[in-house]
Amino acid sequence: MTGQQSMHDGEMPLALHVPMRWGDMDAYGHINNVEVLRILEEARVHAFGPPAGTGLPGIEVARPIFSELDADIQALVVEHRVRYVAPLNYRNIPAVVHIWISAVKGASFTVAYDIFDPVTDTKCVIAETVLAFFHEPSSTLVRLGAEKKAQLEILKGPANFKA
């Protein structure tokens, strides 16, 4: 999915600008692979809001998937999959991250991302993160209700990886 392609339902992926930090750079001038995961995390929080009960109020997000959760429910990372397709070089301007939902299941969903160089528009990283909601007091997974599934389906697009 390039910057101009739309998802199957006509929605565009959410486009976010996530700063790259000087300290994120490795000896080759590329953003370190561990820091790419931080960029993915920042994109998720900027797109879907911080989980309830964390941080202080800020700006409202367009898709409050996390910020509308009850305070005793956490959004847990189940799995990351990352493919580096071109070097993401450090720049003192934010990377462009496109984010959408590529799968919705009974108790989990998959967030897909593309990270682009902000100057050349080169796609540098494709990734997916599987998330599940976890009810901390009972130590159980929370099944996705109809309302949450509807929120996620609006952002549905193609998977970055074949199963």
Side-chain angles (χ1 to χ4, degrees):
M1 180 178 301
T2 65
Q4 299 307 314
Q5 291 177 321
S6 65
M7 297 187 295
H8 68 77
D9 63 0
E11 288 271 327
M12 294 295 287
L14 298 174
L16 304 160
H17 298 263
V18 179
M20 293 182 271
R21 303 175 308 184
W22 175 258
D24 294 347
M25 187 174 34
D26 63 18
Y28 302 106
H30 308 148
I31 299 302
N32 180 282
N33 62 357
V34 172
E35 297 305 327
V36 166
L37 291 177
R38 182 197 57 82
I39 290 172
L40 300 179
E41 178 182 57
E42 288 295 324
R44 280 194 311 276
V45 171
H46 285 281
F48 306 137
T54 62
L56 295 175
I59 62 168
E60 293 293 321
V61 297
R63 306 288 185 190
I65 292 167
F66 297 150
S67 54
E68 289 182 348
L69 294 172
D70 292 337
D72 56 357
I73 295 181
Q74 301 174 356
L76 296 181
V77 171
V78 175
E79 177 181 0
H80 286 299
R81 187 162 181 194
V82 181
R83 180 172 298 144
Y84 302 94
V85 294
L88 178 59
N89 292 301
Y90 170 77
R91 297 182 186 276
N92 64 351
I93 54 177
V96 177
V97 181
H98 290 181
I99 185 170
W100 66 98
I101 303 300
S102 62
V104 178
K105 297 183 178 176
S108 68
F109 60 99
T110 303
V111 179
Y113 323 77
D114 291 334
I115 302 178
F116 295 88
D117 181 289
V119 173
T120 66
D121 201 34
T122 301
K123 186 184 298 186
C124 300
V125 176
I126 62 173
E128 289 188 340
T129 302
V130 177
L131 295 160
F133 294 133
F134 182 76
H135 184 253
E136 189 175 20
S138 66
S139 296
T140 58
L141 288 179
V142 176
R143 294 197 57 79
L144 299 174
E147 185 178 324
K148 190 59 71 181
K149 282 184 177 180
Q151 276 186 309
L152 296 167
E153 289 290 338
I154 290 171
L155 293 170
K156 191 89 184 302
N160 270 337
F161 302 99
K162 293 181 182 183

